Amino acid sequence: MATTRKTQQAQQSPAERAALGRAARTKVPRSSHAVFEPAADRPDPVTLLEQQATTRVPELVPIRYGRMLSSPFAHYRGAARVMTADLATTPVSGIRAQLCGDAHLSNFGVFASPERQLVFDLNDFDETLPGPWEWDVKRLAASLEVAGRGNGFSAVECRAVVMAGVAEYRTAMAEFAAMRDLDVWYAFVSVDRLAPRLTQGSGLTRRRTEKFAARAKTRDHLQAFSKMVQVVDGQARFVSDPPLLVPVEELLPDAPAHQLEDLVRAALKSYARTLSTERRHLLSGYRFAQLARKVVGVGSVGTRAWVALMLGRDSGDPLILQFKEAQQSVLSGYAPRSTFENEGQRVVVGQRLMQASSDIFLGWQRVSALDGVSRDFYVRQLRDWKGSVEIEQMAPAAMAAYARLCGWTLARAHARSGDRIAIAAYLGSGDVFDRALATFSSLYADQNERDHAALAAAVQGGRITADERW
């Protein structure tokens, strides 16, 4: 479907594509995006979370609720399913792009490119699907408002932060609209080059940026290995830390060891076929050592996430692969259904479309587990120069700078798959859309606070159980 849209764009002149974007303003004025009124038949937010829980690991679901309870921002992070139902009732221009589906500000960060540059980009694509580009922008904008309130910003400061991020999205999209296709595809945020320009005036000095980059480069597979693995009787084994990290032998003590190993080896073989030839060759030099279940994230808690310890030349040459379950996108039912039968492939293809540079071990698989259920997974390195900013420590100027960084990055991601010329023409050069989304974000932050309170009430009333220890 994305290929069909790109073919149609190639057959139209830039002027024709811009005319389509301007025409969309007549049908859906940019000011209309300020509106958010909960539908009279709005689904109960707790019920939506409970529905998600039915396909997750039961003993981990209380951890998810506990993490979401910790603050309105933590709740927002875990409530992508809830917000998608709300976004489906809001105006859209009719122009589509590949969506992240959960583009809140904590789903951006730094990591290593295959060329060993430290880059800034979106880093979570569990919910990716083609859909209205506005949904991603609203998800990001509202997250800025929610985070700003959590940091004690005034209403004026929150509005300025949101408008900074949306304005950067708009101006960046205009820049991409004027660029050649290949130049858009090659664009990326280097921590050394573009990030300083976008964060100018934020108080983030070059020294602090260099310190952050240096710290991110220490968060690699070797650091993960040193924290998660110990040597037992001469063999590298995962450290048991229930419920956050549990070796598979502890989870399934009655399963024959050879059966577990055969299952993992078959899964690795299936996954390897989704890699390019040279990366499959690289992977073949590693041998499987052990598997463990690992709890990750906020919204993802309860989905099945495994880590596989692989060893190369010797025990000092580790690779830790993460196998993360890919369930249906929260956009499913609101946006056109995925064209991929495998949900893991949906995630990987969407990630490669939106990211400027993806992990060399990114792939997918389908596993028939010991319980007889087939599940889809996507695979990547657990950690490769991973870094993220501390949102809770940001002052208004720093968060506005970070908002610009995220806004530019999201525009670049949408420009790769959507009609950047039509989107830019729809947005225009004024701040009408920026102001509209600032108003929307304030209204939606109010709704998120009510939903957070509803979750707390459900826990207090015994409807659901939350474990806040983790």
Side-chain angles (χ1 to χ4, degrees), residues 357-429:
S357 184
S358 298
D359 179 31
I360 63 171
F361 286 111
L362 184 64
W364 69 89
Q365 64 176 173
R366 174 168 292 165
V367 176
S368 295
L370 295 178
D371 60 5
V373 178
S374 292
R375 297 184 176 91
D376 296 339
F377 292 81
Y378 65 93
V379 188
R380 62 187 178 188
Q381 291 185 74
L382 177 65
R383 191 177 297 165
D384 192 18
W385 288 9
K386 182 179 179 181
S388 57
V389 299
E390 295 181 0
I391 305 297
E392 296 79 8
Q393 305 301 317
M394 284 185 170
M399 189 175 289
Y402 189 67
R404 289 192 292 272
L405 197 58
C406 294
W408 189 98
T409 301
L410 185 60
R412 193 281 329 279
H414 286 170
R416 287 165 65 102
S417 63
D419 189 337
R420 64 190 188 275
I421 296 175
I423 296 173
Y426 178 82
L427 291 170
S429 58

Side-chain angles (χ1 to χ4, degrees), residues 1-12 96-98 130 181 185 339-340 349 353 416-419:
M1 191 171 293
T3 302
T4 300
R5 290 198 305 274
K6 293 299 286 185
T7 301
Q8 291 171 344
Q9 291 172 21
Q11 294 171 347
Q12 296 173 318
R96 293 169 53 208
Q98 186 73 29
D181 287 1
W185 200 259
T339 58
F340 301 103
V349 172
L353 266 175
R416 287 165 65 102
S417 63
D419 189 337

